[in-house]
Amino acid sequence: MAGLISPPASCHGYAMIRRLVLWAIKTAAGFVIVSVLWVALYRVIPPPITFTMIGDALSGHSITKRWMPLSQIDPNMARAVIAGEDARFCLHHGFDFSAIEKAYEKNARGRRIRGGSTISQQTAKNAFLIQGGGYVRKAFEAYFTVLIETIWGKRRIMEVYLNIAETGIGTYGVNAASERYFGHNASDLSTSEAGRIAAILPSPKRRAAINPTGRIRRHGNAITRRVRVVRNDGLDRCLR
């Protein structure tokens, strides 16, 4: 009888695919809405905590952070991280493709490198993501980089970066680092002090800004010398 005839299996398969596609679309749309609101919120309030901080706390470390507006942080500090981390910070829109290409070429030769991440990419990772995660995390990092470049702008990106970057075990931000290493806040950093803090950023758990030796000392001194170049050549002009 016609009423007892079951629909073809292909119809059931089509319906399932349709439900999966609708679910994927709704999930993606929800993620976009939440992420945009999250980024917009951090444009006006300091990020209260990051996944890296949570990891430190779960490892038994106390968390020290002292938020300071960019306008109060000594300009030498921003110049130092531009000199040490991302000389084209004011010129690119989140990604320095020339640095990425150089990093790829050095990787192909098997040389150890720090990578081609910009300050914008590092800020996106620090504020919204975990430190590991491989290529999946990199994809989300690129997405959040586009969002903060669009919604925040350069001054806010630098402000957040300088306040949430890990600067020692359990220590976050350059203000907390300045108090820990030099006994004063980040509003009165000397060029050499700013250079020393910038020098430990790539590996803050294994480097110290107090009496650095060897490669870390040389790297800090090189950054200190380049701070004047950053200022004189206007490489920090997007922050002025």
Side-chain angles (χ1 to χ4, degrees), residues 190-201:
S190 68
T191 306
S192 62
E193 289 171 342
R196 288 184 180 183
I197 293 176
I200 66 174
L201 286 175

Side-chain angles (χ1 to χ4, degrees), residues 113-153:
I113 59 168
R114 284 168 44 193
S117 293
T118 63
I119 287 174
S120 299
Q121 290 174 270
Q122 293 176 53
T123 305
K125 176 186 66 177
N126 292 340
F128 303 104
L129 303 168
I130 61 174
Q131 295 297 314
Y135 288 110
V136 174
R137 194 266 294 160
K138 275 289 187 184
F140 282 106
E141 176 187 298
Y143 170 75
F144 277 103
T145 298
V146 173
L147 286 187
I148 64 175
E149 281 279 342
T150 303
I151 297 174
W152 289 4

Side-chain angles (χ1 to χ4, degrees), residues 46-113:
I49 196 166
T50 67
F51 289 111
T52 308
M53 294 176 191
I54 292 172
D56 251 357
L58 292 176
S59 298
H61 301 298
S62 60
I63 304 301
T64 302
K65 54 190 180 76
R66 302 278 190 274
W67 182 274
M68 177 176 279
L70 183 63
S71 59
Q72 296 179 22
I73 298 173
D74 193 291
N76 283 325
M77 191 65 248
R79 292 167 185 150
V81 297
I82 288 173
E85 298 288 304
D86 185 4
R88 293 175 52 81
F89 174 69
C90 286
L91 302 175
H92 62 63
H93 298 288
F95 306 95
D96 187 348
F97 294 104
S98 62
I100 293 172
E101 183 178 358
K102 290 177 182 178
Y104 175 80
E105 291 173 353
K106 290 181 180 179
N107 270 327
R109 293 196 295 269
R111 293 175 57 184
R112 183 180 178 183
I113 59 168

Side-chain angles (χ1 to χ4, degrees), residues 53 63-68 73 77 126 158-168 170-181 186 189 197 200-201 204:
M53 294 176 191
I63 304 301
T64 302
K65 54 190 180 76
R66 302 278 190 274
W67 182 274
M68 177 176 279
I73 298 173
M77 191 65 248
N126 292 340
M158 180 62 75
E159 183 172 61
V160 173
Y161 177 72
L162 293 180
N163 276 285
I164 68 171
E166 189 178 12
T167 49
T171 305
Y172 291 85
V174 300
N175 194 29
S178 182
E179 292 176 348
R180 171 178 174 175
Y181 299 125
L189 284 165
I197 293 176
I200 66 174
L201 286 175

